[in-house]
C-alpha cells in the first residue's frame, strides 16, 4: 500500500487530471459530494498541517520578513485594487467582481506545497505562505468584506472572519497535536506516502467542486464558457504576472513558489463561512477554476518548473 501511495505522490499531477475527468464524467457523484466540500477542504488543510508538524511550522515566523509582504500584497492589496477597479467601472455588484475579489482575498490553495513538489521545488516556502496566509485571512478579509457591497456589512465581515479563524485554528491545532503525539519524527518514505494520500484527497475534492460544471455544459454552455475564460485568465494570468514581476525586479529567491500561489487560491474555504459562495454562478466559477489549478503542474511546468530536476 505504501509503495502505491508513494507512486501516486510521484505522479501527483496526473492524479489531479484524473480527478478533473472524474468530476466531469460523474455528475451524480459530484452532486452528492457537494454538501461536504467545506469539510473536505478542512481535511486537506489537516493533512498538510500533519505533514509539516508544529516545529517546522514555527519556522514560518523566522521567514516572516519575506512572507508577510507577499501575503499582504496578495490577500489585501490586490483584492482592494480589484474592487476599486470594478467600482470605477460601476460593476462592483456583478457576479464576476464578487468571484474575482473572493479569489484574490483567499490564501494559497491547500495543495500548493504538493504542487510545489510536483514542479520540482521544496514544499517549505509554499507551506509557509499557505500557513501564514490562512492564519491571517480572518484579518485581511475584514476590510474587503466591509467595502464590498455584495459581501456584507462590517458585522458580517467580523462574523465571517471569526467563523473561518475558528475552523482553521481548530483543524491545524488538532493536526499538530496528533503529529506530536503519534508521529513526531517521520521518515521520508512516510512523508511520500502521506503526499500520496493528499494527492488522492485533492482528486476527490475536485470531483465535488465540478458539480456545477457538468450540468452547465448542456444547459448553459455560453455562460460556462464565460466563466471558464474568467477562471483561466485569473489563475494563469496571476501566475505569469507574479513570475515576471518578481524576476524583473529580483524581489525574491522563491520566484516560482510565489508565482504558484499568486494564481492558485483556496477559494473553497469560503464555502465554510459565507453565503456569498452558494449561488450557482459562483459554484460554476469555482468548478471552472479547478481546471487551470489542477493543470498548473503540467501547463506551468515550462515556466515554474525546476529545470535542474528531471521530469517524473
Amino acid at each position: 500500500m505504501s509503495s502505491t501511495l508513494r507512486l501516486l505522490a510521484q505522479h501527483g499531477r496526473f492524479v489531479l487530471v484524473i480527478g478533473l475527468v472524474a468530476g466531469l464524467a460523474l455528475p451524480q457523484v459530484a452532486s452528492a459530494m457537494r454538501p461536504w466540500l467545506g469539510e473536505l477542504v478542512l481535511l486537506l488543510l489537516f493533512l498538510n498541517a500533519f505533514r509539516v508538524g508544529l516545529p517546522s511550522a514555527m519556522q514560518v515566523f523566522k521567514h516572516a520578513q519575506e512572507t508577510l509582504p507577499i501575503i499582504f500584497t496578495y490577500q489585501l492589496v490586490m483584492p482592494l485594487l480589484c474592487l476599486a477597479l470594478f467600482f470605477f467601472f460601476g460593476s462592483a455588484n456583478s457576479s464576476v467582481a464578487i468571484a474575482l475579489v473572493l479569489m484574490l482575498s483567499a490564501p494559497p490553495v491547500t495543495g500548493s506545497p504538493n504542487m510545489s513538489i510536483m514542479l520540482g521545488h521544496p514544499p517549505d516556502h509554499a507551506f509557509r505562505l499557505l500557513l501564514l496566509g490562512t492564519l491571517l485571512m480572518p484579518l485581511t478579509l475584514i476590510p474587503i468584506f466591509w467595502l464590498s457591497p455584495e459581501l456584507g456589512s462590517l458585522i458580517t465581515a467580523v462574523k465571517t472572519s471569526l467563523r473561518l479563524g475558528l475552523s482553521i485554528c481548530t483543524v491545524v491545532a488538532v493536526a499538530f497535536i496528533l503529529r506530536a503525539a503519534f508521529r513526531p519524527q517521520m521518515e521520508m518514505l512516510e512523508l511520500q506516502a502521506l503526499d500520496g494520500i493528499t494527492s488522492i484527497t485533492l482528486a476527490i475534492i475536485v470531483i465535488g467542486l465540478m458539480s456545477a460544471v457538468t450540468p452547465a455544459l448542456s444547459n448553459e454552455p455560453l455562460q460556462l464558457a464565460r466563466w471558464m475564460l474568467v477562471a483561466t485568465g485569473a489563475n494563469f494570468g496571476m501566475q505569469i504576472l507574479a513570475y515576471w514581476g518578481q524576476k524583473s525586479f529580483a524581489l525574491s529567491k522563491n520566484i516560482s513558489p510565489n508565482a504558484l500561489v499568486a494564481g492558485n487560491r483556496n477559494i473553497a474555504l469560503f464555502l465554510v463561512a459565507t453565503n456569498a459562495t452558494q449561488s450557482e454562478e459562483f459554484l460554476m466559477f469555482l468548478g471552472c477554476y479547478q481546471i487551470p489549478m489542477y493543470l498548473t503542474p503540467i501547463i506551468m511546468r515550462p515556466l515554474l518548473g525546476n529545470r535542474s530536476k528531471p521530469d517524473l
Side-chain angles (χ1 to χ4, degrees), residues 24 35 37 75 110 116-117 136 138 162 166 190 198 207 211 239 254 259 293:
L24 292 171
L37 287 174
Q75 294 179 210
T110 316
S116 185
I117 293 171
L136 289 176
L162 289 174
L166 181 61
E190 293 175 315
T198 305
I207 296 174
S211 61
Q239 292 187 67
N254 297 288
M293 180 191 297

Side-chain angles (χ1 to χ4, degrees), residues 85-109:
L85 186 64
F86 278 108
F87 266 119
F88 179 79
F89 287 103
S91 55
N93 296 333
S94 68
S95 56
V96 173
I98 294 170
L100 291 180
V101 169
L102 285 178
M103 172 212 157
L104 293 172
S105 304
V109 67

Side-chain angles (χ1 to χ4, degrees), residues 116 118-122 256 301 303-311:
S116 185
M118 294 173 196
L119 289 167
H121 301 281
S256 291
R301 194 173 185 82
L303 185 67
L304 304 184
N306 186 348
R307 294 169 180 81
S308 65
K309 292 191 176 184
D311 288 354

